[in-house]
Amino acid sequence: MQIGIPAETLAGETRVAATPETVKKFVAMGCKVVVQAGAGVAASCIDSAYEAAGASIAASAADTLSASDIVLKVAAPTADEVALMKQGATVLAAFAPHQNTHFDAYAAKGLTCVAMELIPRITRAQSSDILSSQANVAGYKAVLMAANEYAGLFPMMMTAAGTIKPARAVILGVGVAGLQAIATAKRLGAVVEASDLRPAAREQVESLGGRWLDVPMSEEEAAKALSTGGYAWQPSPEYIRDQAAVVDKAVSNANVVITTAQIPGRKAPTLVKAETVAKMKPGSIIIDMAVSSGGNVEGSQLDQIVVTENGVRIVGIGNIPALVATEASALYARNMLNFLAPMHNKETSEIVLNREDDMVKPTLIVDAGTVNYQKPN
Ligand code: NAD
């Protein structure tokens, strides 16, 4: 059984889906691994390290893909990449199914497509959860990006020339990325406030030393929040109005704002209005981590830094994990290995997807050429 690791072709994608560490494990399972020359170089994985781990290096994408039964990728394959693949191959990637336009190509090639972002958030699946592993590194990097853009300082400093006040940071959306952003901003010395529509996030914010921005919630809504098992729910117009008022007050006084609120498969909610940005101090920084799914901040633009009339910089970098390619790839590659390893048959050395497994089933957006995925309404 051959596993192929092509170089990513999406602009700005620096990650790689397998590292020498994971290749070594696949080789030990009896798989032949082929890595495209240079595929890991931007993630600090050089060809000779893959070779030392037991892989062969192929000169081109065609040579990597044409005989591979399993293909490991970061970004969803394009129709051009699919054309180079073996008929009936199994491809694991972050397929972004709700915005993917290549389903016809996948079906025509008889592919089985495993959308890694659809792995359910159950305890057993945590070690394969690419959303968490990538959000974690992105939350960290977002704060460093903000610190870099910010012409002030994060910590309080007492100097002979006077005291410098700590930066005020507001984090909106306290999932995996938001929690890491709070922890990182605190480590750098900022005063941190945070909010999420999941009331359970309050305790996590406070345990990291952040201040919880409370939005009043009706009993009905509190019950709804609990019933969704910890995931985002659709708030009422009253909640959205009250949240806007809380956000407006906190953000207008902040030096740094990091927004992370996403709703899987849907447009991200708008949390920061243009009128609030207009009240911020010149030099303030906003990092909109939800920019690729529509953005949390009015005026943010994908892969641009927008400077507003009042001198606020809105940073909308779509692929933040790619800016931390070494560690993001190491974690992503382990997620892939952890997903596949339990399906390895020691007798035959084959990896066969267990379609009945409740961790595998929801990921199969295309199964042997049949498209299963339906966009949410
Ligand atoms: P996400 O990236 O989908 O969203 C980020 C945060 O934004 C979430 O906390 C969400 O509640 C919040 N949000 C969405 N809409 C909002 C709005 N209108 N206003 C304010 N906040 C809003 O989230 P995530 O990081 O993937 O985590 C989502 C949940 O999944 C969390 O409860 C997390 O603890 C849980 N989780 C569970 C597992 C597991 O394996 N059990 C793994 C990872 C995450």
Side-chain angles (χ1 to χ4, degrees), residues 19 69 104 299 348 356:
T19 58
D69 307 289
D104 288 348
T348 60
E356 296 313 310

Side-chain angles (χ1 to χ4, degrees), residues 270-291:
T270 302
L271 298 183
V272 182
K273 300 251 176 64
E275 65 201 55
T276 303
V277 177
K279 290 186 213 165
M280 294 176 78
K281 291 181 278 290
S284 303
I285 307 296
I286 303 178
I287 311 278
D288 186 349
M289 292 185 70
V291 69

Side-chain angles (χ1 to χ4, degrees), residues 31-104:
C31 301
K32 177 175 176 355
V33 180
V34 180
V35 179
Q36 185 178 346
V41 73
S44 318
C45 300
I46 54 175
D47 293 349
S48 57
Y50 285 114
E51 279 179 309
S56 351
I57 302 298
S60 65
D63 292 345
T64 310
L65 296 171
S66 62
S68 287
D69 307 289
I70 295 179
V71 176
L72 304 183
K73 275 199 95 271
V74 176
T78 60
D80 288 346
E81 289 172 304
V82 170
L84 305 175
M85 290 181 188
K86 182 176 171 179
Q87 188 73 25
T90 295
V91 187
L92 281 73
F95 274 90
H98 56 290
Q99 52 199 44
N100 192 310
T101 54
H102 304 297
F103 278 95
D104 288 348

